[in-house]
Amino acid sequence: MITTILAAAAPAAADANPYGLQAALREGGLISQTVFGILVLMSVVSFYILFSKLFEQQKIIGQGKRVRQAFWSSNSLREGSAKLEKNSAYKQIVDDGLAAQEQHSKLTDPVEAHDWLHGSLARSEAAINSKLGGGLAFLATVGSVSPFIGLFGTVIGIYRALVKIGASGQASIDKVAGPVGEALIMTALGLVVAVPAVLSYNWLQRRNKSIAEDLSAFSNDVLGFLASNGAVRPSIASGAKPVPAKPVTTTTTAGQTGGVPRAN
């Protein structure tokens, strides 16, 4: 069916190249067509994961920038949490920290407040990082498996080509090289699918690590705030650029030491 669709889409190309992809699928039979379909599906899902994770990461990075600009100017964590977006990862850490603080007073076993808060915040971070890492295992699997799937399609293609050549009794180079080279297309397709998946996996992993570092730093700041009842908080980064002070010139009048400073 795939061969029929491709042939209908580009009949001229099929006539021009008897050893192209369409010919490989047609000669390879159902196995080659299945291998091709699996590789196409892997590629589509890989790109979907790449763009969805990229969008998710950009969203959290933007939330982090807004937190650094405005969150710590609030009088309390609840006030700051109310300013954050509803589904923000940073809001989740703050809310989990506040919930842990309330839960600590209900504990019957003597557990240090610092240990309880630290464990709760670490659990919140782990949940966010786990969500960010979702789908990356599929990229790693595609990167490692798709070359072998393509190689399997090539082996099947070569096997079928050799069987046909043997049945025809013609072993000249033009009868051998064409079908064998045609079967190698599946190996190339496997590599085409694998390389973007591996690159995407490494890139997204590096960005996840950077986001995890920011979340860990913010969680540590929340822990310090809770453990000190608000006495410890990070310094607020002012968004406005510091205004340079006007230069002060000193005029010296005759007979006066130092003179009187006068602003321009």
Side-chain angles (χ1 to χ4, degrees):
M1 184 178 70
I2 297 175
T3 307
T4 305
I5 295 173
L6 292 175
D15 296 338
N17 185 10
Y19 299 120
L21 175 62
Q22 297 176 31
L25 294 176
R26 183 173 57 252
E27 297 297 332
L30 181 61
I31 295 179
S32 294
Q33 295 169 13
T34 303
V35 168
F36 177 74
I38 292 174
L39 291 176
V40 170
L41 180 62
M42 282 183 166
S43 180
V44 171
V45 177
S46 296
F47 278 101
Y48 171 76
I49 292 175
L50 168 63
F51 288 112
S52 62
K53 287 297 166 183
L54 188 60
F55 174 77
E56 188 177 355
Q57 289 178 341
Q58 283 299 121
K59 185 178 178 181
I60 295 182
I61 291 173
Q63 292 169 355
K65 292 179 180 178
R66 289 190 287 275
V67 164
R68 286 191 290 271
Q69 292 173 352
F71 180 81
W72 292 112
S73 62
S74 304
N75 295 323
S76 67
L77 289 183
R78 293 189 186 280
E79 180 182 338
S81 176
K83 297 179 180 177
L84 299 178
E85 298 177 18
K86 183 178 179 181
N87 296 322
S88 168
Y90 291 87
K91 180 179 177 62
Q92 179 178 338
I93 291 177
V94 175
D95 292 344
D96 289 345
L98 292 172
Q101 189 180 41
E102 295 177 357
Q103 292 168 355
H104 181 261
S105 61
K106 302 176 183 177
L107 297 178
T108 55
D109 288 339
V111 179
E112 290 290 336
H114 176 273
D115 295 340
W116 177 257
L117 291 173
H118 184 271
S120 299
L121 291 172
R123 185 171 63 247
S124 182
E125 284 181 54
I128 297 170
N129 291 330
S130 177
K131 185 178 179 182
L132 281 174
L136 297 187
F138 182 83
L139 292 180
T141 302
V142 170
S144 59
V145 170
S146 56
F148 295 102
I149 295 177
L151 182 61
F152 174 72
T154 296
V155 170
I156 296 299
I158 291 175
Y159 168 75
R160 287 178 175 272
L162 292 179
V163 168
K164 288 185 178 180
I165 292 170
S168 65
Q170 297 177 351
S172 57
I173 189 64
D174 60 324
K175 298 295 183 182
V176 175
V180 172
E182 182 182 87
L184 291 175
I185 293 177
M186 288 299 170
T187 300
L189 286 177
L191 295 175
V192 167
V193 175
V195 171
V198 172
L199 292 177
S200 301
Y201 173 81
N202 291 331
W203 186 46
L204 293 174
Q205 278 283 58
R206 179 64 190 90
R207 287 168 63 90
N208 275 352
K209 184 178 180 182
S210 177
I211 292 173
E213 292 171 353
D214 291 340
L215 290 174
S216 179
F218 178 75
S219 175
N220 189 61
D221 293 337
V222 171
L223 176 62
F225 189 97
L226 291 172
S228 64
N229 291 326
V232 176
R233 65 170 64 191
S235 58
I236 302 173
S238 176
K241 295 182 179 179
V243 179
K246 294 182 178 179
V248 178
T249 58
T250 303
T251 58
T252 305
T253 57
Q256 183 180 8
T257 303
V260 179
R262 181 182 300 171
N264 289 334

